[in-house]
Amino acid sequence: MSLPQPPTPAKLIVGFFVKEKTLAEDIAQALQDRLGPVDMISAWINFDFTTYYEKEMGAPLSRRLIVFKRLVEQTELAAIKRMTNAVEQTYQRQGQRRVNIDPGYLVPERFVLATGKNFTHRIYIGQGIYADLTLIYQKGAFRTLPWTYPDYADKHLIDFLTLVRKKYMLDVKQGEQP
Protein backbone atom coordinates (compact mmCIF):
# COMPACT_ATOMS: atom_id res chain seq x y z
CA MET A 1 0.00 0.00 0.00
CA SER A 2 1.28 3.45 -0.83
CA LEU A 3 0.81 6.11 1.80
CA PRO A 4 -0.23 9.59 0.70
CA GLN A 5 2.62 12.09 0.87
CA PRO A 6 2.51 15.86 0.51
CA PRO A 7 3.73 17.00 -2.91
CA THR A 8 7.09 18.69 -3.31
CA PRO A 9 6.91 22.50 -3.47
CA ALA A 10 7.55 23.60 -7.05
CA LYS A 11 9.54 26.32 -8.81
CA LEU A 12 7.06 28.48 -10.72
CA ILE A 13 8.10 29.35 -14.27
CA VAL A 14 6.00 31.50 -16.56
CA GLY A 15 6.87 31.62 -20.24
CA PHE A 16 5.46 34.14 -22.64
CA PHE A 17 5.92 35.10 -26.24
CA VAL A 18 5.21 38.36 -28.02
CA LYS A 19 5.83 40.15 -31.27
CA GLU A 20 6.27 43.49 -29.52
CA LYS A 21 9.16 43.08 -27.06
CA THR A 22 8.33 46.53 -25.70
CA LEU A 23 5.39 44.88 -23.88
CA ALA A 24 7.73 42.58 -21.92
CA GLU A 25 8.44 44.94 -19.04
CA ASP A 26 4.73 45.62 -18.43
CA ILE A 27 3.88 41.92 -18.70
CA ALA A 28 6.67 40.99 -16.29
CA GLN A 29 5.44 43.63 -13.84
CA ALA A 30 1.84 42.41 -14.09
CA LEU A 31 3.01 38.87 -13.34
CA GLN A 32 5.28 40.01 -10.52
CA ASP A 33 2.39 41.99 -8.95
CA ARG A 34 0.39 38.75 -8.80
CA LEU A 35 3.08 36.11 -8.23
CA GLY A 36 5.79 37.86 -6.24
CA PRO A 37 9.46 38.61 -6.79
CA VAL A 38 11.37 37.31 -9.79
CA ASP A 39 14.29 34.95 -9.28
CA MET A 40 15.59 34.52 -12.85
CA ILE A 41 14.75 35.66 -16.38
CA SER A 42 15.84 33.89 -19.55
CA ALA A 43 17.35 35.54 -22.58
CA TRP A 44 15.02 36.09 -25.51
CA ILE A 45 14.55 32.99 -27.64
CA ASN A 46 13.24 33.19 -31.20
CA PHE A 47 9.82 31.56 -31.33
CA ASP A 48 10.07 30.24 -34.87
CA PHE A 49 9.06 26.62 -34.28
CA THR A 50 5.54 27.05 -35.66
CA THR A 51 3.49 29.54 -37.65
CA TYR A 52 0.35 28.67 -35.65
CA TYR A 53 0.25 32.01 -33.78
CA GLU A 54 1.34 34.32 -36.61
CA LYS A 55 -2.15 35.02 -37.99
CA GLU A 56 -3.29 36.29 -34.60
CA MET A 57 -0.08 37.78 -33.20
CA GLY A 58 2.11 38.53 -36.20
CA ALA A 59 5.78 37.68 -36.66
CA PRO A 60 8.54 37.39 -35.69
CA LEU A 61 7.69 36.16 -32.19
CA SER A 62 10.09 35.97 -29.26
CA ARG A 63 9.85 33.88 -26.07
CA ARG A 64 11.11 34.60 -22.59
CA LEU A 65 10.79 32.68 -19.31
CA ILE A 66 10.35 34.30 -15.90
CA VAL A 67 11.16 32.26 -12.80
CA PHE A 68 9.68 33.31 -9.47
CA LYS A 69 11.40 33.19 -6.08
CA ARG A 70 8.50 31.82 -4.06
CA LEU A 71 8.02 28.09 -4.30
CA VAL A 72 4.41 27.14 -4.97
CA GLU A 73 2.20 24.19 -4.21
CA GLN A 74 1.69 22.07 -7.33
CA THR A 75 -2.06 22.33 -6.74
CA GLU A 76 -1.90 26.09 -7.48
CA LEU A 77 -1.18 25.56 -11.19
CA ALA A 78 -4.80 25.66 -12.39
CA ALA A 79 -5.51 28.94 -10.58
CA ILE A 80 -2.25 30.42 -11.87
CA LYS A 81 -3.17 29.49 -15.45
CA ARG A 82 -6.58 31.15 -15.07
CA MET A 83 -4.85 34.27 -13.74
CA THR A 84 -2.35 34.35 -16.64
CA ASN A 85 -5.25 33.97 -19.07
CA ALA A 86 -6.75 37.12 -17.51
CA VAL A 87 -3.43 38.95 -17.92
CA GLU A 88 -3.35 37.89 -21.60
CA GLN A 89 -6.81 39.39 -22.04
CA THR A 90 -5.70 42.77 -20.69
CA TYR A 91 -3.22 43.03 -23.59
CA GLN A 92 -5.66 42.10 -26.35
CA ARG A 93 -6.24 44.54 -29.17
CA GLN A 94 -9.38 44.19 -31.29
CA GLY A 95 -9.92 40.66 -29.95
CA GLN A 96 -6.41 39.54 -30.93
CA ARG A 97 -3.83 38.40 -28.40
CA ARG A 98 -0.56 40.30 -28.26
CA VAL A 99 0.94 37.92 -25.70
CA ASN A 100 0.66 34.21 -25.03
CA ILE A 101 1.44 33.28 -21.42
CA ASP A 102 2.23 29.71 -20.35
CA PRO A 103 2.70 29.00 -16.64
CA GLY A 104 4.31 25.83 -15.45
CA TYR A 105 6.31 24.38 -12.63
CA LEU A 106 9.52 22.51 -12.13
CA VAL A 107 10.15 19.81 -9.53
CA PRO A 108 13.18 17.51 -9.39
CA GLU A 109 11.59 14.88 -11.66
CA ARG A 110 9.75 16.94 -14.28
CA PHE A 111 8.64 20.18 -15.88
CA VAL A 112 4.89 20.63 -16.28
CA LEU A 113 2.94 23.27 -18.22
CA ALA A 114 -0.70 24.30 -17.77
CA THR A 115 -3.11 24.41 -20.69
CA GLY A 116 -6.81 24.74 -21.31
CA LYS A 117 -6.65 22.11 -24.06
CA ASN A 118 -7.26 18.43 -23.36
CA PHE A 119 -5.19 15.74 -25.07
CA THR A 120 -4.29 12.10 -24.49
CA HIS A 121 -1.26 12.77 -22.27
CA ARG A 122 -2.75 15.65 -20.28
CA ILE A 123 -4.30 15.27 -16.85
CA TYR A 124 -7.23 17.39 -15.72
CA ILE A 125 -6.31 19.45 -12.64
CA GLY A 126 -9.50 21.49 -12.17
CA GLN A 127 -10.94 24.86 -13.18
CA GLY A 128 -10.96 23.80 -16.85
CA ILE A 129 -7.16 23.35 -16.86
CA TYR A 130 -4.94 20.39 -17.74
CA ALA A 131 -1.37 19.58 -16.76
CA ASP A 132 0.97 18.81 -19.66
CA LEU A 133 3.99 16.69 -18.72
CA THR A 134 6.46 18.55 -20.94
CA LEU A 135 9.92 17.33 -19.89
CA ILE A 136 11.19 14.64 -17.54
CA TYR A 137 14.51 14.70 -15.69
CA GLN A 138 16.40 11.41 -15.97
CA LYS A 139 20.07 10.44 -15.77
CA GLY A 140 21.19 13.99 -15.05
CA ALA A 141 19.35 15.79 -17.87
CA PHE A 142 15.97 16.92 -19.08
CA ARG A 143 14.48 14.54 -21.65
CA THR A 144 11.84 15.38 -24.20
CA LEU A 145 8.74 13.30 -24.77
CA PRO A 146 6.96 12.57 -28.07
CA TRP A 147 4.54 15.45 -27.41
CA THR A 148 7.01 18.03 -26.03
CA TYR A 149 6.42 21.38 -27.71
CA PRO A 150 9.31 22.12 -30.10
CA ASP A 151 10.29 25.33 -28.30
CA TYR A 152 10.57 23.46 -24.98
CA ALA A 153 12.72 20.83 -26.73
CA ASP A 154 15.14 23.55 -27.90
CA LYS A 155 18.66 23.33 -26.46
CA HIS A 156 18.68 26.97 -25.29
CA LEU A 157 15.46 26.55 -23.35
CA ILE A 158 16.53 23.21 -21.87
CA ASP A 159 19.88 24.73 -20.83
CA PHE A 160 18.02 27.53 -19.04
CA LEU A 161 15.66 25.08 -17.33
CA THR A 162 18.70 23.08 -16.19
CA LEU A 163 20.07 26.23 -14.51
CA VAL A 164 16.66 26.84 -12.94
CA ARG A 165 16.62 23.28 -11.63
CA LYS A 166 20.05 23.74 -10.02
CA LYS A 167 18.88 26.94 -8.33
CA TYR A 168 15.64 25.26 -7.26
CA MET A 169 17.54 22.34 -5.70
CA LEU A 170 19.61 24.88 -3.69
CA ASP A 171 16.42 26.66 -2.60
CA VAL A 172 14.90 23.40 -1.38
CA LYS A 173 18.12 22.44 0.41
CA GLN A 174 18.12 25.81 2.17
CA GLY A 175 14.54 25.27 3.33
CA GLU A 176 12.57 27.57 1.04
CA GLN A 177 8.84 27.08 1.56
CA PRO A 178 5.82 27.97 -0.57
Side-chain angles (χ1 to χ4, degrees):
M1 167 173 67
S2 65
L3 298 175
Q5 301 291 318
T8 305
K11 195 70 166 168
L12 178 62
I13 301 170
V14 179
F16 68 92
F17 57 87
V18 292
K19 177 182 178 199
E20 305 164 65
K21 287 184 182 179
T22 56
L23 294 174
E25 189 174 328
D26 288 344
I27 293 164
Q29 188 61 56
L31 294 171
Q32 191 169 347
D33 290 347
R34 292 160 177 83
L35 299 170
V38 170
D39 198 9
M40 302 168 75
I41 299 176
S42 74
W44 285 105
I45 300 166
N46 290 335
F47 187 81
D48 54 6
F49 304 93
T50 179
T51 59
Y52 179 82
Y53 298 93
E54 287 181 10
K55 183 177 181 186
E56 180 180 20
M57 298 178 69
L61 297 172
S62 300
R63 174 179 287 291
R64 177 165 262 181
L65 300 181
I66 300 175
V67 182
F68 292 87
K69 286 185 189 262
R70 180 179 70 91
L71 300 181
V72 298
E73 294 292 344
Q74 294 179 43
T75 55
E76 293 180 58
L77 188 58
I80 291 169
K81 176 62 176 169
R82 304 257 324 199
M83 179 275 298
T84 61
N85 283 352
V87 171
E88 277 186 22
Q89 289 177 338
T90 66
Y91 289 92
Q92 284 185 349
R93 185 183 294 152
Q94 298 173 337
Q96 301 287 305
R97 284 185 300 174
R98 296 166 60 205
V99 61
N100 181 296
I101 305 174
D102 300 312
Y105 65 74
L106 184 144
V107 291
E109 310 82 11
R110 65 190 158 271
F111 176 66
V112 175
L113 287 170
T115 180
K117 301 175 196 133
N118 188 17
F119 204 66
T120 55
H121 64 281
R122 295 177 180 159
I123 306 298
Y124 185 72
I125 57 174
Q127 301 183 45
I129 305 301
Y130 297 83
D132 181 296
L133 177 60
T134 302
L135 299 167
I136 58 174
Y137 194 85
Q138 286 184 327
K139 299 179 182 176
F142 280 108
R143 311 285 177 193
T144 61
L145 300 160
W147 52 81
T148 299
Y149 295 111
D151 53 327
Y152 282 94
D154 181 73
K155 180 186 178 340
H156 298 292
L157 208 142
I158 287 178
D159 288 348
F160 180 74
L161 289 174
T162 300
L163 289 175
V164 172
R165 186 180 182 279
K166 287 178 184 176
K167 172 70 168 66
Y168 164 74
M169 298 302 281
L170 287 172
D171 291 346
V172 171
K173 187 176 182 178
Q174 294 173 356
E176 288 282 327
Q177 296 297 317

